[in-house]
Amino acid sequence: MSSCNGSHSVASIFPEVYRKELERYYSKILSAESLIKYGYFDSLANKFISRSGLYKEEQYISNDQFYEGIFNLSEFYNWLDDGDRWKGLYFSQKDGKVKIRKEWTTPISFTIPKNLHTRREYKLINLFSYGNLAYYIEQEKETISNILLQNKNSMSKFFSSEVFKFAITQDLRNTLLFGKNKRYITDIQNFYHSIYTHSIEWMLEGKDNAKRNIGEDNWKNYTFGKSLDKLIQNSQSGETHGLPTGNLITRIIAEVYMCKFDEMLLDINNRYSFSRFVDDIVFAFNTDMELIGFKKSLNEKIREYSLSLNDSKTKIESFPFEGNKNKDAIFTFFDTLPEMPKDAGNSIKNLGKRRVKDKISQFIDYCISEEERGNRGSLKCIPAVLANSIRPLQVGNSYHPQPIVKALGDDYRECLIDIFFEPHYLTGMSLFERVLDLSFMDSTITQRIIDFSQILVREIVFGKEVRDRGLILDKVEKAAEIYFDRIKDALKGKIEEYIDSGSNQEIYSYLLMIIIFNYDMKMDLNSVNDICHSVIQSRIDDINMILATIIYYRKNRKYDGIAEVMAKALWDAHYPVCSKKEELDKNPDPWYRKPCDCGDEFSDQLWMYRYYLYFMYKNKSSRIGGTGKKRKRHTYLDFRNSIKRAKINGQVVDLSNHFELRKSPNLSEVNKFYKSMLDGGVKIIDDGDGKFIYSLL
């Protein structure tokens, strides 16, 4: 594997101490542990920043993650790492070469709103393929690290590093663009979805070298680039167009790809002054001739790798540059609040509370207006800035009160209860309800709203007795109940509308908030059941189907009435691609009497939902019997009982065979992998062994 030219080295702009810091950081994030535990839902920022307890600016612009209180892959990684189990399940090694098995899997498609008119697609990779990629990246982390370290033009190669935060990367960017009075700004059209997987090998190994081996499929001759190509194809049913987005590994591969792209531009002319963030490119110049030369080089390389520039986002700026709309005013919004006097009386304290409450309302209004003015990401700042302002900041062993804490004085925790949960004297709506409503105005900030709610509750209950904590949680849930009651008439219709339009993130927001704030326990039974049936029947995506199943059980305390819906969803997802379809078509029995035993169910759609249901059916836990000996007992007995007595067309049907791996002699490597997971009792859904309690504490 060739490395970048030394003339492009980072050393010219980074002191050695920063280079060492980056080396340590890459060593950490390129490990299989980080990539699996934190990278699958791209939640790296949550784990590796905020040593001080503050939300960092990177958090404001990071990807929106799934709620880790429900989806957690720590147990999955620990199982894989135990005894190097992954080595036998993923790929084999011989003489330092990796033999990649051709095991195709189907990712979960999950869309989020990009703007009012378009959506961005996430592809959640099957765990079999993702683990494969994670361990291969770990093996090649030195190669990857060297490519990243030797690039000076990328501002996206730092990922969520606390050291290389936004302010520093902006300084680096400005240094690269220094001394030029014009800027050419462009980006690559539909970047992630446009990358031809074969071009990864072209980019990393050189197109001519790769083309010479185009018919060569001997694993002994696989290069770094060809291996990545094959592994990515395996993760998306053999498709060669596009990268599966939504995870850290894809971001790393895309960054390595573009670092080599930068190198090629500099190989043409090492005096090019440009900065890049992922696929956004800014070229600085003084004369038209400089621009003509750069555009010629850029377009030449873009076409060579089957990409195209986004004409709608291409523009030229002259000094003074418009630059990015900054958020300094948002981050410092509460700095003007007056500090509460030490000996303040009740009237002063009440005045302080009113000031804070009004200031928070103004802050929300200001962020909304900034978003409307084009300052993108302003809405996403609301939960984080509020979270930072309502608690003391810990630095070492000392605590430093933040603006709202200073404005409320020593009993600020009690004041926060009144500020957020007392209804407005005119509207009857509490400030907390207004914060919740932000999640439904913009579904991409749901995770941030939940994070803020947890911080608020934990800050208020700090040091309180257990009974008092319960009372405060009741107050929070009551405020949420009042809010949901305001929208309940439209709730079912909105979910149906989102199902029809394929709006995964919006459905997720509703279902997740219902669970976290226990509103499902307050809803009428028919509404809950109708919503859950609609989501599961739609097969919209695994994530929402899991949430709907959780809600159904939390409300009904059994799976009767939905067992056949779950089984039919699994059947309908796998049947069209089943290798035994022809044989099954000849079977006159209805679907519920002819479960599949082809041995490759976990390669297809609904693999995560299938695993969740199979886990509940199979899982047993150790219990101490009467003699003091351990015995195995089914943890999810309600699930098993409901499956065995499902009613279809008024007839009791045992659906057990639809929720377990059949004893097929032809189990695929993927199914063998999941069977081993099930046998090991590996949990990927945090449910409290069927209790499904998700506390804000």
Side-chain angles (χ1 to χ4, degrees):
M1 169 82 230
S2 62
S3 62
C4 296
N5 189 302
S7 64
H8 309 153
S9 172
V10 74
S12 61
I13 56 172
F14 290 162
E16 184 64 18
V17 63
Y18 283 102
R19 182 183 176 90
K20 293 293 184 184
E21 177 66 32
L22 266 180
E23 287 176 349
R24 287 192 292 271
Y25 184 66
Y26 289 147
S27 179
K28 180 163 56 177
I29 70 168
L30 296 174
S31 68
E33 181 175 9
S34 294
L35 293 170
I36 292 174
K37 285 185 178 180
Y38 316 131
Y40 185 75
F41 291 121
D42 206 359
S43 59
L44 191 68
N46 285 340
K47 303 300 176 183
F48 289 136
I49 68 173
S50 102
R51 294 176 189 167
S52 64
L54 272 179
Y55 279 80
K56 298 294 182 182
E57 191 166 337
E58 287 81 2
Q59 177 70 13
Y60 305 145
I61 60 173
S62 68
N63 287 346
D64 299 290
Q65 297 91 35
F66 294 95
Y67 182 61
E68 289 188 329
I70 295 176
F71 305 98
N72 193 318
L73 295 185
S74 292
E75 192 170 319
F76 172 64
Y77 168 75
N78 292 336
W79 172 77
L80 274 181
D81 198 55
D82 182 21
D84 290 335
R85 183 180 279 109
W86 64 272
K87 289 182 179 178
L89 292 170
Y90 288 99
F91 47 73
S92 59
Q93 288 184 303
K94 189 176 181 180
D95 300 326
K97 290 287 187 179
V98 173
K99 184 177 181 179
I100 298 170
R101 293 171 176 155
K102 186 179 178 180
E103 293 284 344
W104 290 356
T105 60
T106 301
I108 300 167
S109 178
F110 192 95
T111 69
I112 66 171
K114 186 176 181 180
N115 51 49
L116 288 174
H117 309 292
T118 60
R119 302 185 68 82
R120 177 180 289 113
E121 183 184 28
Y122 282 176
K123 289 183 178 179
L124 302 178
I125 301 173
N126 189 297
L127 290 182
F128 178 92
S129 297
Y130 189 82
N132 194 340
L133 274 163
Y135 279 98
Y136 185 69
I137 292 291
E138 180 178 73
Q139 289 180 91
E140 297 290 343
K141 68 179 179 180
E142 184 176 352
T143 300
I144 295 170
S145 181
N146 286 337
I147 293 172
L148 298 175
L149 284 167
Q150 294 187 43
N151 181 286
K152 72 175 183 180
N153 299 89
S154 173
M155 300 299 111
S156 48
K157 71 175 189 177
F158 307 106
F159 303 103
S160 300
S161 167
E162 185 179 32
V163 175
F164 291 91
K165 50 191 174 183
F166 182 74
I168 290 180
T169 59
Q170 284 298 97
D171 287 342
L172 293 173
R173 174 180 179 268
N174 292 334
T175 300
L176 289 168
L177 306 178
F178 178 76
K180 310 289 183 178
N181 59 18
K182 295 178 182 178
R183 290 178 181 177
Y184 170 74
I185 302 168
T186 190
D187 71 2
I188 298 174
Q189 180 81 38
N190 204 20
F191 174 59
Y192 282 98
H193 302 292
S194 297
I195 292 179
Y196 184 43
T197 65
H198 294 332
S199 75
I200 296 172
E201 183 185 8
W202 305 347
M203 189 72 75
L204 297 177
E205 319 298 344
K207 194 169 184 179
D208 290 340
N209 290 333
K211 291 273 187 177
R212 276 195 289 270
N213 298 321
I214 195 166
E216 179 62 61
D217 205 29
N218 186 341
W219 65 269
K220 294 180 180 179
N221 296 326
Y222 274 20
T223 60
F224 174 51
K226 191 175 187 69
S227 296
L228 283 179
D229 175 18
K230 291 293 183 183
L231 291 170
I232 292 169
Q233 286 183 55
N234 284 352
S235 75
Q236 50 188 14
S237 304
E239 292 181 10
T240 57
H241 279 89
L243 299 181
T245 55
N247 63 83
L248 180 61
I249 290 178
T250 293
R251 284 210 289 149
I252 290 168
I253 293 171
E255 186 58 40
V256 168
Y257 183 95
M258 290 304 294
C259 281
K260 299 300 288 185
F261 185 85
D262 297 341
E263 182 183 340
M264 287 191 299
L265 288 177
L266 291 171
D267 283 341
I268 296 173
N269 188 335
N270 62 16
R271 293 190 298 273
Y272 283 152
S273 301
F274 71 92
S275 169
R276 178 183 55 75
F277 188 90
V278 191
D279 63 317
D280 295 321
I281 298 169
V282 181
F283 172 68
F285 65 101
N286 288 322
T287 69
D288 290 345
M289 289 302 297
E290 290 177 90
L291 178 59
I292 290 170
F294 179 78
K295 288 172 71 174
K296 181 176 181 296
S297 301
L298 178 63
N299 280 290
E300 174 188 316
K301 293 302 175 184
I302 285 287
R303 288 193 300 270
E304 185 177 345
Y305 291 91
S306 304
L307 302 170
S308 60
L309 295 177
N310 189 344
D311 291 337
S312 65
K313 291 188 177 180
T314 298
K315 62 182 180 179
I316 295 175
E317 291 182 354
S318 298
F319 183 84
F321 306 113
E322 178 181 333
N324 295 326
K325 297 183 183 294
N326 72 66
K327 296 180 175 59
D328 289 346
I330 293 176
F331 301 149
T332 61
F333 193 89
F334 294 102
D335 289 355
T336 57
L337 277 170
E339 190 170 339
M340 180 74 69
K342 294 285 185 186
D343 56 348
N346 287 333
S347 61
I348 300 295
K349 290 180 180 178
N350 289 333
L351 176 62
K353 284 193 293 187
R354 287 198 299 272
R355 282 176 176 166
V356 170
K357 195 168 186 174
D358 291 344
K359 192 75 172 178
I360 293 173
S361 291
Q362 293 165 13
F363 173 67
I364 294 172
D365 290 337
Y366 178 72
C367 290
I368 293 172
S369 67
E370 281 294 289
E371 191 80 35
E372 290 173 346
R373 289 176 54 220
N375 194 355
R376 294 179 62 187
S378 296
L379 282 178
K380 295 181 179 181
C381 294
I382 295 174
V385 173
L386 284 177
N388 286 342
S389 301
I390 62 168
R391 56 182 178 165
L393 169 63
Q394 184 177 0
V395 179
N397 295 321
S398 59
Y399 288 86
H400 301 269
Q402 297 304 291
I404 288 178
V405 178
K406 291 180 180 178
L408 295 174
D410 293 338
D411 58 346
Y412 72 94
R413 291 190 173 93
E414 296 299 325
C415 294
L416 290 174
I417 298 174
D418 294 339
I419 288 169
F420 280 97
F421 300 107
E422 285 297 313
H424 190 275
Y425 71 96
L426 287 177
T427 65
M429 178 178 285
S430 68
L431 193 55
F432 188 70
E433 289 178 67
R434 192 175 181 199
V435 173
L436 290 182
D437 195 50
L438 293 170
S439 177
F440 300 110
M441 289 195 291
D442 183 352
S443 60
T444 65
I445 65 173
T446 297
Q447 180 64 56
R448 290 172 167 83
I449 298 297
I450 293 172
D451 288 344
F452 165 73
S453 301
Q454 290 178 323
I455 290 169
L456 175 64
V457 170
R458 291 167 185 174
E459 190 61 38
I460 291 174
V461 304
F462 182 82
K464 292 187 182 303
E465 300 293 332
V466 173
R467 178 180 175 277
D468 293 330
R469 293 183 178 188
L471 293 173
I472 291 168
L473 280 174
D474 289 343
K475 187 180 286 288
V476 175
E477 289 184 6
K478 184 62 180 178
E481 180 185 354
I482 293 171
Y483 171 75
F484 277 107
D485 281 346
R486 296 180 193 272
I487 64 171
K488 67 179 181 181
D489 292 339
L491 187 60
K492 182 182 174 184
K494 291 294 290 185
I495 289 177
E496 294 281 0
E497 178 186 323
Y498 289 138
I499 288 173
D500 291 341
S501 62
S503 302
N504 308 76
Q505 178 73 34
E506 288 83 346
I507 301 170
Y508 169 77
S509 292
Y510 279 115
L511 298 184
L512 183 61
M513 297 287 272
I514 285 171
I515 291 173
I516 297 301
F517 294 101
N518 289 315
Y519 185 64
D520 49 342
M521 311 311 293
K522 315 289 193 315
M523 295 173 69
D524 68 274
L525 184 64
N526 288 335
S527 294
V528 170
N529 292 350
D530 286 347
I531 289 171
C532 294
H533 274 78
S534 295
V535 172
I536 296 171
Q537 284 175 331
S538 73
R539 296 194 284 118
I540 180 75
D541 64 79
D542 301 57
I543 304 295
N544 280 311
M545 293 170 72
I546 289 171
L547 295 183
T549 305
I550 289 173
I551 290 172
Y552 185 92
Y553 181 77
R554 279 162 50 104
K555 186 68 175 180
N556 291 271
R557 308 311 300 177
K558 58 186 179 181
Y559 297 90
D560 294 8
I562 205 167
E564 72 276 13
V565 180
M566 297 186 294
K568 188 67 162 56
L570 297 184
W571 172 265
D572 289 345
H574 180 61
Y575 172 74
V577 295
C578 178
S579 60
K580 292 196 172 185
K581 182 177 184 298
E582 186 176 344
E583 178 184 324
L584 293 170
D585 284 340
K586 295 177 182 176
N587 188 338
D589 283 345
W591 67 270
Y592 51 84
R593 296 195 187 278
K594 49 181 183 182
C596 176
D597 63 351
C598 68
D600 59 3
E601 301 96 319
F602 278 97
S603 300
D604 300 324
Q605 295 180 23
L606 301 192
W607 59 268
M608 181 183 284
Y609 190 56
R610 184 181 298 277
Y611 185 83
Y612 169 59
L613 298 180
Y614 280 33
F615 180 88
M616 287 199 293
Y617 182 78
K618 181 180 179 63
N619 195 62
K620 298 178 180 179
S621 59
S622 295
R623 297 287 188 270
I624 303 297
T627 62
K629 296 181 179 181
K630 285 188 176 180
R631 58 189 177 92
K632 294 290 186 178
R633 174 177 177 179
H634 288 288
T635 307
Y636 302 88
L637 192 59
D638 293 330
F639 184 81
R640 291 183 65 88
N641 290 339
S642 295
I643 297 306
K644 289 178 176 293
R645 64 185 184 213
K647 278 191 176 183
I648 302 178
N649 298 327
Q651 181 182 1
V652 176
V653 177
D654 186 351
L655 294 173
S656 299
N657 284 333
H658 288 272
F659 294 92
E660 62 182 7
L661 278 166
R662 306 274 287 162
K663 294 180 180 178
S664 171
N666 301 312
L667 285 181
S668 68
E669 292 300 321
V670 179
N671 266 27
K672 289 178 183 176
F673 168 75
Y674 280 103
K675 183 180 185 303
S676 185
M677 278 181 66
L678 288 166
D679 290 343
V682 180
K683 183 185 291 188
I684 60 175
I685 307 298
D686 282 340
D687 60 9
D689 289 333
K691 296 182 176 62
F692 299 106
I693 298 172
Y694 301 98
S695 177
L696 289 169
L697 288 175

